[in-house]
Amino acid sequence: MYYTTDKHHGLKHNPFNALIVPRPIGWISTIAANGDVNLAPFSFFNAVAYTPPMVMFACNGPHAEGGIKDSLHNIRETGEFVVNIVSYDQRHAMNATSAPAARNVDEFGLAGLEALPSNTVSPPRVAGSPAHLECVLEQIVSLPCTAEDSSNNMVIGRVTAIHIDDAVIRDGRVDISLMRPLSRLGYMDYAVVDDSFELQRPEGG
Ligand SMILES: Cc1cc2nc3c(=O)[nH]c(=O)nc-3n(C[C@H](O)[C@H](O)[C@H](O)COP(=O)(O)O)c2cc1C
């Protein structure tokens, strides 16, 4: 099949994000200026640089109560966030935190999650996550949006500190079979990454 994106794809479900897979999930914790804590998953998420280490996630669409989503709102206010890596075991809790909760609802409580303090930023970390990236806001890129009463915003953060559960480190490497990160596919599908193979790059690659 072939289609141009100004026309309908003709399928029952939009195939776009079923093609860009697997997507890692950034489980983003933030805090508002008034101290309200928020937690939500984002699969438009990735690393974008090593030096300094930077990550991005895209906060798209409106909050259920109108306006922008809490995660973006809080980051605009306080300029900090934490990326919590989601393990397969945390899949149900992660899903629960995506509920369109009212603005002042703390999704840690909603999903029965324990919050751990961070070291370099104010938002707390999710206990039980195999890794956490503490981040300060670098830039918010406002992207075009063709949906009504909506917006697309890419948040770029500089990673200031990293926590890794010692239990997922074997022989000095993060062992994917121990970390078992959850990843997002298209539709309502997910995958768990717990297997890998090695491929050496060509000389100079
Ligand atoms: C696995 C998963 C991935 C998601 N990825 C995104 C995403 O990349 N961007 C986005 O705007 N919403 C995404 N969502 C939806 C948000 O998590 C949801 O809108 C959430 O309520 C936003 O919370 P907030 O208003 O507390 O920030 C995703 C949901 C799930 C379950």
Side-chain angles (χ1 to χ4, degrees):
M1 70 174 281
Y2 165 83
Y3 67 102
T4 54
T5 57
D6 57 339
K7 305 250 165 52
H8 195 266
H9 40 73
L11 300 175
K12 200 166 152 196
H13 301 287
N14 188 345
F16 172 65
N17 61 355
L19 301 172
I20 302 153
V21 290
R23 293 188 306 284
I25 299 171
W27 204 6
I28 308 290
S29 42
T30 55
I31 194 162
N34 68 2
D36 282 352
V37 166
N38 196 85
L39 178 65
F42 293 86
S43 72
F44 287 176
F45 160 72
N46 224 308
V48 288
Y50 274 127
T51 47
M54 286 184 280
V55 292
M56 62 70 64
F57 74 95
C59 197
N60 303 333
H63 188 279
E65 295 173 359
I68 55 171
K69 293 183 180 181
D70 293 338
S71 305
L72 180 62
H73 174 267
N74 293 353
I75 291 170
R76 277 190 180 154
E77 279 196 355
T78 57
E80 297 179 339
F81 63 96
V82 175
V83 177
N84 304 273
I85 302 299
V86 186
S87 72
Y88 177 73
D89 294 344
Q90 294 172 308
R91 63 196 180 284
H92 295 301
M94 177 284 298
N95 200 26
T97 64
S98 75
R103 285 215 179 277
N104 56 354
V105 168
D106 175 351
E107 286 90 355
F108 278 84
L110 193 76
L113 292 161
E114 189 191 335
L116 302 174
S118 295
N119 290 354
T120 61
V121 295
S122 306
R125 298 177 291 133
V126 175
S129 275
H132 311 96
L133 313 178
E134 298 183 7
C135 300
V136 294
L137 176 63
E138 193 64 44
Q139 204 177 325
I140 296 174
V141 182
S142 169
L143 297 167
C145 183
T146 50
E148 249 176 65
D149 298 325
S150 190
S151 62
N152 293 319
N153 286 279
M154 182 169 72
V155 178
I156 302 169
R158 183 191 285 235
V159 182
T160 50
I162 299 180
H163 306 249
I164 308 172
D165 184 350
D166 291 328
V168 305
I169 299 180
R170 183 152 51 189
D171 299 331
R173 292 161 54 131
V174 173
D175 188 316
I176 204 75
S177 70
L178 298 173
M179 184 158 80
R180 309 196 78 217
L182 191 68
S183 72
R184 187 77 173 92
L185 306 176
Y187 318 111
M188 301 314 287
D189 298 342
Y190 291 81
V192 57
V193 185
D194 56 6
D195 198 12
S196 64
F197 61 89
E198 230 175 51
L199 207 53
Q200 299 300 330
R201 285 196 196 180
E203 197 73 24

